[in-house]
Amino acid sequence: MFRIVTNSSLNSTFKARVVPQASHLNFTTTTSSANSSTTSAAVAAHAAKNFNFNSKRFNSPYQNNNNNNNNNSNNNNNHSNNNHSNNNNNNNNNNHSNNNNNNNQVSYNTQNHNNNNNRNNRSNRKKFYNNSSNNNNNFNNFIPNGRDNPWFHQLVAFEESVSQSSKASRFNSAFDPIFWNSIGKAMSLYRELSGTPDFGAERVSKLVYLLHTGLRQNRSQTLRLDKKPDFDSKSFHKDMSDFLCTSLREVSNDIIDNKISINEYGAMHLITSFKELVLYEEAISIWFSSRNSNSSSVFLDPRVVGVVLPIMYENGHSFENINKLFEQSKATIDYYHPNLAVGMIRTCLLANEINQALRLFEELCANAQQKRFGYLTETHLSFIGESNDLNVANTFFEKALNDEMPYKVDLQAPYIKKFMSNTWSQTKDFDKVLNIWIKCWGNYGINVNKGVSSSINDLFLSIFFENYANDSNIGFLKLKDIIRIYNNIKPVDEPFLNIIMTKCAIWDDSSIIESINDAYQIYGAEKTVVAYRVYLKTLGHSNVSEDHIFNAWNSLLQFADLTGATFIHNADWAALRDATIASKDYSKSRIETYCKIIKLYSVYCRDLRQFNMITEVNGTKHPGILPYLHNLNSLDVFGIKIPNFTNFKQLSS
């Protein structure tokens, strides 16, 4: 068990995985809470007392409330004492085309007369996405009147499309044409079936879930392509992103126009989709407009409101109004829903309402189920990354590191980066940031995704170079220590050195650049073409000779040729540009170096479009090169040797 000790002597215990085991959470924080006698930390860990794996209570909170009388009585009080006077003011006629006024004030109509029906529907309904596993014969069971239904064939085809997409989504669907074809077909069938009697909330929600799945698959693949460009594939995924966004908007407008209805699962995925598209204002507008539709009560469901609360706060809505909305949504159900709690906790952290966030975390822990620790893990990470109270954030960080919680917390990169950023912005103490970084890598070890490691290292090194921007001597000594620390935890890798090489340009010191370039060999970090490009680019911040740049350029091309490249890539030309005509040491010598390379190596361009980019386009941005480009034939390149290439192909004239 562990005890949380606070300034107000509020102690509570929390049974952990290994029992008994004692540890202490000591918070000392200052907040603006009205209740000054209770520190934010004090409330924090009251979470502990009901977290008992052997308790019958543990099996009940989300499914069966019979054993949870205390919570039920509290909920009943919320229902009976909740002030619904605002309901009388909600008889406005705003529609989806006129929501600017609505966006300034939250509408709080709980429509309690629908609550009982909603609860009954939820309890009797299977989750909408479970039906997608049924085969073709079973689809008939979900269609009233079977083959006598005038929309029978379209309904069966729709269920088949959803089923195919659901199956494909389990197997790398970003590459599967069946997945994308099924989504397109499902959307076409939606347009045929929209408004028909048997295309109700369940099927609409299946479609929204499918579109949301497509959105996530598409984003995942796009991120991969960002690291390894494939222009044809990028074009396809851009088209798919536009299609998915347009489809989600179409469904949203039909809900607002009362052409269709949706259930709470579908509404949650709908709002989440717009959130993930970074269309925050649109997500809020859709929520407000839907509250004036026939699906009004659905959009007050805790699943949905839990998503929209933090978005509202980040987009200018007052914490007071958001807190009222939280209470209104909470009053629509007679059981504890974690979605709503997690959303409100995140909102409290954003608003620096630490006391309330910790009280809600206490409730979340008290109502947790052993098989549903995901909510606790997500919220724990939010306290690390989104709490402005560094004492609270650090305590949650340490507990995750030491594996002292009853649930497993994997330190996800976005939250660690926020924690480091918050620490730096509030303290400007680099050693504190360094301590977080070291502990984080001690936790990750060697088996960590390169994307994750690069993301964390990029932020950390940005803070490092910001701290030592004006002191390269002390900074470089510290940098050597950091590289050794990293190497003691895991072997120094190329992406780590690439980031250092890129950022060390701020020092404008050629000796440091060469030392870092030597580090690849010293630490056995195998170079890829990226390392050669980064080095060439960084020479734009170094006072080196023309020959030095030529050598770096030839080393890059020889490596690219050796690894199978058949032409000079855009990224190679971009590195050359940054080393010469876009360099800090912009001079006649650098201009001549660029133009000489154009004259000698442009035969290895991919196509004429690329040639135009490195001449005409760059000439527009850097007009100093135009006189040289216009006289390339007379430019002296005598004595410059081009390496013998094996795979490079010359551009046909």
Side-chain angles (χ1 to χ4, degrees):
M1 295 170 65
F2 73 74
R3 175 180 298 167
I4 300 172
V5 183
T6 67
N7 292 344
S8 62
S9 302
L10 174 63
N11 299 330
S12 51
T13 55
F14 197 147
K15 289 203 170 182
R17 282 189 295 255
V18 181
V19 181
Q21 180 177 355
S23 60
H24 299 275
L25 278 173
N26 297 310
F27 291 93
T28 304
T29 63
T30 303
T31 72
S32 59
S33 171
N35 185 1
S36 58
S37 64
T38 305
T39 64
S40 59
V43 190
H46 211 49
K49 66 178 180 182
N50 292 320
F51 215 98
N52 187 339
F53 286 2
N54 297 319
S55 172
K56 293 181 180 180
R57 167 192 180 87
F58 208 92
N59 296 321
S60 62
Y62 300 160
Q63 296 174 351
N64 183 348
N65 292 297
N66 292 335
N67 296 325
N68 202 358
N69 295 329
N70 289 335
N71 280 351
N72 280 346
S73 62
N74 289 336
N75 287 336
N76 291 335
N77 289 336
N78 284 336
H79 280 286
S80 60
N81 296 330
N82 199 34
N83 185 351
H84 296 295
S85 61
N86 286 332
N87 292 348
N88 296 328
N89 297 324
N90 280 328
N91 296 323
N92 52 59
N93 295 319
N94 293 339
N95 57 30
H96 64 286
S97 64
N98 184 18
N99 281 302
N100 293 332
N101 292 332
N102 279 347
N103 285 345
N104 296 324
Q105 183 176 357
V106 180
S107 174
Y108 301 115
N109 183 357
T110 59
Q111 296 192 4
N112 283 330
H113 60 279
N114 289 326
N115 288 347
N116 291 333
N117 290 335
N118 289 340
R119 293 185 197 114
N120 291 335
N121 289 338
R122 283 195 289 266
S123 64
N124 294 327
R125 182 199 300 138
K126 293 182 179 179
K127 284 187 178 180
F128 67 92
Y129 43 76
N130 286 345
N131 294 342
S132 61
S133 61
N134 292 292
N135 59 32
N136 188 32
N137 292 330
N138 286 338
F139 290 151
N140 298 358
N141 299 331
F142 297 96
I143 300 173
N145 302 321
R147 293 183 178 275
D148 292 333
N149 190 306
W151 303 99
F152 174 80
H153 295 291
Q154 290 93 326
L155 290 168
V156 169
F158 176 82
E159 295 289 350
E160 287 177 341
S161 296
V162 172
S163 177
Q164 286 179 342
S165 298
S166 297
K167 291 176 181 177
S169 67
R170 302 168 195 160
F171 306 101
N172 211 5
S173 59
F175 298 100
D176 192 344
I178 294 177
F179 177 76
W180 299 113
N181 290 339
S182 297
I183 288 182
K185 184 178 179 182
M187 196 63 203
S188 295
L189 288 164
Y190 164 77
R191 295 187 181 103
E192 288 187 53
L193 292 165
S194 179
T196 61
D198 299 312
F199 196 79
E202 299 295 325
R203 289 191 168 94
V204 171
S205 298
K206 284 184 183 181
L207 176 64
V208 171
Y209 174 72
L210 182 58
L211 293 171
H212 187 198
T213 301
L215 193 67
R216 288 180 167 176
Q217 295 285 355
N218 194 59
R219 184 175 64 252
S220 174
Q221 183 60 14
T222 301
L223 290 173
R224 293 179 187 177
L225 291 173
D226 285 342
K227 298 175 184 176
K228 187 176 182 181
D230 180 333
F231 295 100
D232 291 335
S233 294
K234 272 195 171 183
S235 177
F236 167 77
H237 287 287
K238 175 64 168 63
D239 290 343
M240 284 310 305
S241 180
D242 292 342
F243 166 77
L244 292 166
C245 185
T246 300
S247 299
L248 288 162
R249 283 173 172 154
E250 182 177 344
V251 173
S252 299
N253 287 333
D254 288 347
I255 292 169
I256 294 165
D257 288 337
N258 294 323
K259 294 179 180 178
I260 58 172
S261 58
I262 194 170
N263 67 28
E264 62 275 14
Y265 297 103
M268 175 185 68
H269 285 287
L270 183 67
I271 299 299
T272 304
S273 295
F274 283 97
K275 172 188 172 184
E276 292 175 0
L277 284 165
V278 199
L279 298 171
Y280 302 130
E281 291 184 1
E282 192 166 349
I284 295 170
S285 178
I286 289 168
W287 184 86
F288 273 109
S289 298
S290 299
R291 289 285 294 121
N292 293 317
S293 73
N294 292 341
S295 299
S296 177
S297 61
V298 168
F299 282 84
L300 197 63
D301 186 272
R303 293 172 182 83
V304 186
V305 174
V307 176
V308 82
L309 290 177
I311 305 175
M312 283 182 169
Y313 183 79
E314 289 182 301
N315 285 270
H317 293 267
S318 72
F319 182 78
E320 181 182 3
N321 280 348
I322 290 173
N323 202 31
K324 289 178 182 177
L325 176 58
F326 166 71
E327 294 296 339
Q328 294 287 346
S329 180
K330 183 179 178 181
T332 64
I333 57 175
D334 55 5
Y335 59 94
Y336 188 87
H337 203 289
N339 276 39
L340 183 62
V342 171
M344 191 59 194
I345 289 171
R346 287 199 60 234
T347 305
C348 290
L349 293 173
L350 292 169
N352 205 29
E353 296 287 343
I354 305 299
N355 281 355
Q356 185 172 347
L358 293 169
R359 283 194 296 270
L360 290 170
F361 182 64
E362 173 191 357
E363 293 177 10
L364 186 65
C365 292
N367 285 277
Q369 280 188 314
Q370 189 168 2
K371 294 181 180 180
R372 297 192 180 185
F373 280 174
Y375 293 108
L376 294 175
T377 299
E378 179 185 352
T379 310
H380 192 112
L381 290 169
S382 292
F383 274 102
I384 294 173
E386 296 173 6
S387 174
N388 290 319
D389 188 319
L390 295 182
N391 288 330
V392 173
N394 189 65
T395 301
F396 277 86
F397 177 62
E398 292 291 342
K399 287 299 172 184
L401 285 175
N402 298 327
D403 198 26
E404 294 179 19
M405 306 306 287
Y407 45 85
K408 177 66 176 175
V409 181
D410 293 322
L411 294 175
Q412 297 176 17
Y415 297 95
I416 296 302
K417 290 170 64 178
K418 288 180 181 178
F419 183 34
M420 287 196 295
S421 293
N422 289 340
T423 301
W424 174 244
S425 63
Q426 290 188 41
T427 68
K428 296 300 178 183
D429 185 338
F430 176 72
D431 286 338
K432 289 184 178 180
V433 178
L434 175 61
N435 185 52
I436 295 170
W437 182 76
I438 292 173
K439 288 181 177 181
C440 179
W441 275 113
N443 178 265
Y444 283 154
I446 61 174
N447 298 317
V448 61
N449 180 278
K450 284 186 178 180
V452 171
S453 64
S454 294
S455 178
I456 291 174
N457 289 336
D458 183 73
L459 174 66
F460 169 72
L461 289 167
S462 292
I463 295 172
F464 168 82
F465 281 102
E466 181 183 341
N467 189 62
Y468 292 100
N470 300 316
D471 196 340
S472 60
N473 292 328
I474 295 178
F476 188 51
L477 292 175
K478 187 71 171 180
L479 181 61
K480 289 180 178 179
D481 288 338
I482 287 171
I483 294 174
R484 282 193 288 268
I485 290 169
Y486 188 82
N487 191 59
N488 288 336
I489 298 172
K490 67 189 295 290
V492 169
D493 49 79
E494 185 219 27
F496 181 61
L497 293 177
N498 288 349
I499 296 169
I500 293 175
M501 178 69 78
T502 300
K503 295 184 184 300
C504 79
I506 194 174
W507 286 333
D508 296 327
D509 190 320
S510 57
S511 63
I512 290 177
I513 291 172
E514 295 307 316
S515 295
I516 295 170
N517 195 42
D518 292 339
Y520 290 89
Q521 183 175 356
I522 292 172
Y523 287 99
E526 186 176 352
K527 286 186 176 182
T528 68
V529 70
V530 176
Y532 288 92
R533 289 170 181 160
V534 168
Y535 173 63
L536 175 60
K537 178 178 180 178
T538 306
L539 293 181
H541 292 262
S542 175
N543 184 20
V544 296
S545 67
E546 181 180 356
D547 287 342
H548 197 117
I549 292 175
F550 262 106
N551 290 335
W553 171 255
N554 284 331
S555 294
L556 165 60
L557 296 192
Q558 286 175 307
F559 183 87
D561 176 71
L562 184 66
T563 53
T566 58
F567 58 85
I568 301 176
H569 285 264
N570 286 343
D572 303 328
W573 288 115
L576 175 67
R577 176 201 64 210
D578 291 344
T580 55
I581 60 174
S583 68
K584 188 172 182 179
D585 185 28
Y586 181 73
S587 63
K588 178 182 176 181
S589 174
R590 295 285 171 115
I591 294 173
E592 287 183 348
T593 300
Y594 180 79
C595 292
K596 286 176 182 179
I597 289 174
I598 293 288
K599 181 174 181 177
L600 293 170
Y601 292 85
S602 60
V603 292
Y604 298 112
C605 280
R606 182 180 59 188
D607 49 33
L608 290 175
R609 182 181 176 185
Q610 188 186 63
F611 177 76
N612 289 335
M613 181 195 72
I614 64 175
T615 54
E616 295 179 11
V617 174
N618 282 349
T620 301
K621 297 178 179 178
H622 308 281
I625 71 173
L626 291 176
Y628 295 88
L629 291 176
H630 293 156
N631 297 283
L632 276 181
N633 291 335
S634 61
L635 193 62
D636 183 14
V637 292
F638 180 77
I640 300 176
K641 294 182 179 180
I642 300 177
N644 294 321
F645 297 119
T646 302
N647 294 303
F648 277 7
K649 308 297 180 186
Q650 292 193 13
L651 182 64
S652 300
S653 58

